[in-house]
Amino acid sequence: MSAPRSYAQDLPRQAADLLDRVRTGSPRVHCLMNTVVQKLVADGLSAIGAVPSMTSSVEEVQAFVRKADALVVNLGTLDAQRREAVGLALDTAAEVEKPWVLDPAHCDYSPLRAAFAQELLARGPAILRANAAEHLLLEVPSDIVGVRTGEEDRIDLSARTAMIGNGHPFMAKVTGTGCLSGAVIAAFVAIGDDRFIAAASAMLVMGVAAEIAARTMRGPASFGIELLDVLYRLSAQDIAQVARCR
Amino acid sequence: MSAPRSYAQDLPRQAADLLDRVRTGSPRVHCLMNTVVQKLVADGLSAIGAVPSMTSSVEEVQAFVRKADALVVNLGTLDAQRREAVGLALDTAAEVEKPWVLDPAHCDYSPLRAAFAQELLARGPAILRANAAEHLLLEVPSDIVGVRTGEEDRIDLSARTAMIGNGHPFMAKVTGTGCLSGAVIAAFVAIGDDRFIAAASAMLVMGVAAEIAARTMRGPASFGIELLDVLYRLSAQDIAQVARCR
Amino acid sequence: MSAPRSYAQDLPRQAADLLDRVRTGSPRVHCLMNTVVQKLVADGLSAIGAVPSMTSSVEEVQAFVRKADALVVNLGTLDAQRREAVGLALDTAAEVEKPWVLDPAHCDYSPLRAAFAQELLARGPAILRANAAEHLLLEVPSDIVGVRTGEEDRIDLSARTAMIGNGHPFMAKVTGTGCLSGAVIAAFVAIGDDRFIAAASAMLVMGVAAEIAARTMRGPASFGIELLDVLYRLSAQDIAQVARCR
């Protein structure tokens, strides 16, 4: 068996264990997200047993980060107030040593966004979750877990690699499922000891849930509902049966 | 029969009557809510037959309150602009004598929020809807209906008390159902003559609908959909059969 | 056959053709909408095969409009920042000659809103989508397609008229379906050669989808889910069978 494969062979069991620990441990995840996706991300985090919070008010964000177990920062809409809120949130995350996930959404869109994403990356997220085009633009230090989304998702940390083949095209038709993946990673990282395993497990859980949701959906909107319902009731057996990782 | 019980024995019938009056009277409810929950609250109000409006723009909020039959103020995200909008909305509500509901969400979170909640309470809401931790921090004048949410919901106005045992744990998994309860109270208060009965009726309707929704849901997201569908078609018989109040 | 009828007799086939071209062409539609409806509109556009974007940040809106194939401007919440973003977006739309749809929501609400709507109308939208009360307040140049929503929707461009009888009362119970109609018109206009046919086709598709969705829904919330699912899978045969236009 090849070296990369060895990191993924236990992943279904590890993912099931971590999901169980999220359900019993109820980690708090603070989310800096755009307004479009906040409700889906909050309900998705609740579905896996985590506790979401969402404020990006500069007056309150630090108090919420202080109470959180992990943080996810999604570039979302970039304006001056939001950039300030992100900076304040990361100051607190560093102070209280909370892990955070960076989702540099659309940083391939303009040099301004790419520069801001690189600046955030320099502040040391535990995980970078981005698609191939976004990854290309960013220089990622070797101590950050890279989650590269695509046909197959790839998770890297120095010499360790896991590839996850699960997922469904309808995730692209429901605004916010990618943002939710970033938040689920944050929940798993909050509860897990190994952030490489945590990130890979979160991506596996999302991908498996998407495939199961697709079995009963009647279109993209019911897929979005089913996805959260499946996340809520997903079992270790579901993960073991549906997982395609290497 | 004990004294507290006497206030609740007619509640299922009263709640059904008031729900019917909301459906035929279509009260307008203006909502000052955070962006995460606005869509659920708007659709939930529409489901019971009320007409929602949502702006918290300082330039327009007073015009909307003027046209509304009741108002619900949810602390939600607190920033300077929002506090200003709340103040303007309450100025108009006082001027045109519209009843309003205060939901001091997370006022147990920081002294700043608690102080702002107490300040709003001094402006005379018809109803205070809060959980036990939030209630503990606030001094409530005896002419305000207190709705204390929990395992069992308790509604108080001076010597009158009603206890409602209906509800479902999944309400905590769908962001905004609590905020919706506050908005439904506002719709019932807008149409009812007795705000104690109106508040208790609204809580009973929400709790009964949640239990019926839970019968057919497949997880938290379909529960959220079912909840609104059930609110739309809830009958007097449903309420009579499912109600657990004393 | 009377003159107005002649413009609608081919509409079911034309609508099916345009829907097919949206699905294969994936036009980008930038939406200036209030926060309440953004998620529904984004998911509805994705359901028909278009690609939504939503930012109303003054710093980024022009870059997004430049990449879009059409634009929809919904008055939504009116504040100073939003008015500025709308102005910037329309500057870019004019510069790069992208068609846009104006939805002057609630412009019958205050003289301020009516004045702003009239000002936007003077900047030359391809389409004006409004209800009868809103239309009454506005002076529409003859080169703008007028979509007047109501019991029956009426589409006008100079001497051409089409009337569409499809739809469902539950559209009024799901916040944002009207806004979604405006966005669907923008997607059809982006891809169509004749904006009168494009606008009428979009309204027909929405109305037919609503009627089909109503067959299986259990209340207003499941209607909202079904509506998007039906939009995703709507066939030429569905449109031909259900269409009521003249």
Side-chain angles (χ1 to χ4, degrees), chain B:
Chain B
M1 199 172 283
S2 69
R5 183 177 297 263
S6 64
Y7 292 106
Q9 63 190 2
D10 284 340
L11 200 56
R13 186 190 54 73
Q14 289 166 316
D17 285 353
L18 279 173
L19 178 58
D20 200 50
R21 288 170 63 189
V22 169
R23 284 170 177 162
T24 54
S26 304
R28 287 168 180 260
V29 178
H30 190 73
C31 306
L32 288 163
M33 297 273 165
N34 71 56
T35 54
V36 185
V37 305
Q38 286 178 329
K39 167 86 170 133
L40 178 76
V41 172
D43 286 349
L45 283 172
S46 297
I48 61 163
V51 177
S53 60
M54 291 281 152
T55 187
S56 53
S57 151
V58 294
E59 302 180 43
E60 297 201 309
V61 68
Q62 293 187 294
F64 277 89
V65 172
R66 209 172 285 278
K67 288 191 132 182
D69 299 301
L71 179 67
V72 54
V73 175
N74 187 306
L75 289 202
T77 296
L78 265 196
D79 53 34
Q81 197 195 344
R82 207 184 141 71
R83 284 198 299 264
E84 185 188 352
V86 169
L88 291 168
L90 295 185
D91 289 347
T92 301
E95 182 196 333
V96 295
E97 297 183 350
K98 299 289 165 62
W100 60 284
V101 177
L102 175 62
D103 184 342
H106 302 300
C107 75
D108 54 333
Y109 178 79
S110 75
L112 183 79
R113 283 178 98 80
F116 186 58
Q118 188 63 53
E119 190 186 309
L120 294 180
L121 204 47
R123 299 194 62 171
I127 318 268
L128 171 71
R129 182 202 169 278
N131 63 30
E134 292 156 1
H135 258 282
L136 263 180
L137 285 167
L138 301 169
E139 287 180 43
V140 187
S142 62
D143 62 339
I144 296 175
V145 179
V147 175
R148 194 175 311 224
T149 59
E151 279 285 301
E152 206 176 17
D153 298 321
R154 177 182 175 131
I155 298 93
D156 282 294
L157 178 61
S158 355
R160 299 158 80 190
T161 297
M163 306 288 290
I164 295 172
N166 297 100
H168 193 273
F170 268 24
M171 296 186 83
K173 291 218 165 276
V174 182
T175 300
T177 53
C179 308
L180 174 57
S181 290
V184 170
I185 292 172
F188 276 61
V189 168
I191 220 93
D193 307 310
D194 179 326
R195 58 193 180 173
F196 171 79
I197 298 298
S201 293
M203 293 304 289
L204 180 61
V205 161
M206 285 296 293
V208 165
E211 288 187 27
I212 295 175
R215 293 177 191 162
T216 45
M217 57 89 179
R218 300 155 48 87
S222 56
F223 172 78
I225 300 296
E226 291 284 338
L227 177 63
L228 268 54
D229 281 0
V230 171
L231 282 172
Y232 173 75
R233 59 174 195 257
L234 198 70
S235 69
Q237 197 179 351
D238 290 331
I239 299 172
Q241 284 175 349
V242 177
R244 289 195 310 280
C245 47
R246 58 189 176 95

Side-chain angles (χ1 to χ4, degrees), chain A residues 127-138:
Chain A
I127 319 268
L128 171 71
R129 182 201 170 277
N131 64 29
E134 293 157 0
H135 259 282
L136 263 180
L137 285 167
L138 300 169

Side-chain angles (χ1 to χ4, degrees), chain A:
Chain A
M1 199 173 284
S2 69
R5 183 177 296 262
S6 64
Y7 293 105
Q9 62 191 3
D10 284 339
L11 200 56
R13 185 190 54 74
Q14 290 166 317
D17 285 352
L18 279 172
L19 178 58
D20 200 50
R21 288 171 62 190
V22 169
R23 285 171 177 162
T24 53
S26 305
R28 286 167 180 261
V29 179
H30 192 72
C31 306
L32 289 163
M33 298 273 164
N34 71 56
T35 53
V36 185
V37 305
Q38 285 178 329
K39 167 87 170 134
L40 178 76
V41 173
D43 286 348
L45 283 173
S46 297
I48 61 163
V51 178
S53 60
M54 290 281 152
T55 187
S56 53
S57 152
V58 294
E59 301 180 44
E60 297 200 308
V61 68
Q62 293 187 295
F64 277 89
V65 172
R66 208 172 285 278
K67 287 192 133 182
D69 298 301
L71 179 67
V72 53
V73 176
N74 188 306
L75 289 201
T77 296
L78 267 195
D79 53 34
Q81 196 195 344
R82 208 185 139 70
R83 283 197 300 264
E84 185 188 352
V86 169
L88 292 169
L90 294 186
D91 290 347
T92 302
E95 181 195 335
V96 295
E97 298 184 349
K98 298 288 165 63
W100 60 285
V101 178
L102 175 62
D103 184 342
H106 302 302
C107 74
D108 54 334
Y109 178 80
S110 76
L112 182 78
R113 283 177 97 79
F116 186 57
Q118 188 63 53
E119 191 186 309
L120 294 180
L121 204 47
R123 299 194 63 171
I127 319 268
L128 171 71
R129 182 201 170 277
N131 64 29
E134 293 157 0
H135 259 282
L136 263 180
L137 285 167
L138 300 169
E139 289 180 42
V140 186
S142 62
D143 61 338
I144 296 175
V145 178
V147 175
R148 193 176 311 225
T149 59
E151 279 285 301
E152 206 176 16
D153 298 321
R154 177 183 174 131
I155 297 92
D156 282 294
L157 178 63
S158 3
R160 300 158 79 190
T161 296
M163 307 288 290
I164 294 170
N166 296 98
H168 193 273
F170 268 24
M171 294 185 85
K173 290 217 166 276
V174 181
T175 300
T177 53
C179 308
L180 175 56
S181 290
V184 170
I185 292 172
F188 276 61
V189 168
I191 219 95
D193 307 310
D194 179 326
R195 59 195 179 172
F196 171 79
I197 297 299
S201 293
M203 292 304 289
L204 181 61
V205 161
M206 285 296 293
V208 165
E211 287 187 28
I212 295 175
R215 294 176 190 162
T216 45
M217 57 91 177
R218 301 156 48 88
S222 56
F223 171 78
I225 300 296
E226 291 283 338
L227 177 62
L228 268 54
D229 281 359
V230 171
L231 282 172
Y232 173 76
R233 61 176 193 255
L234 197 69
S235 68
Q237 194 179 354
D238 290 332
I239 299 172
Q241 284 175 348
V242 177
R244 288 195 310 280
C245 47
R246 58 188 176 94

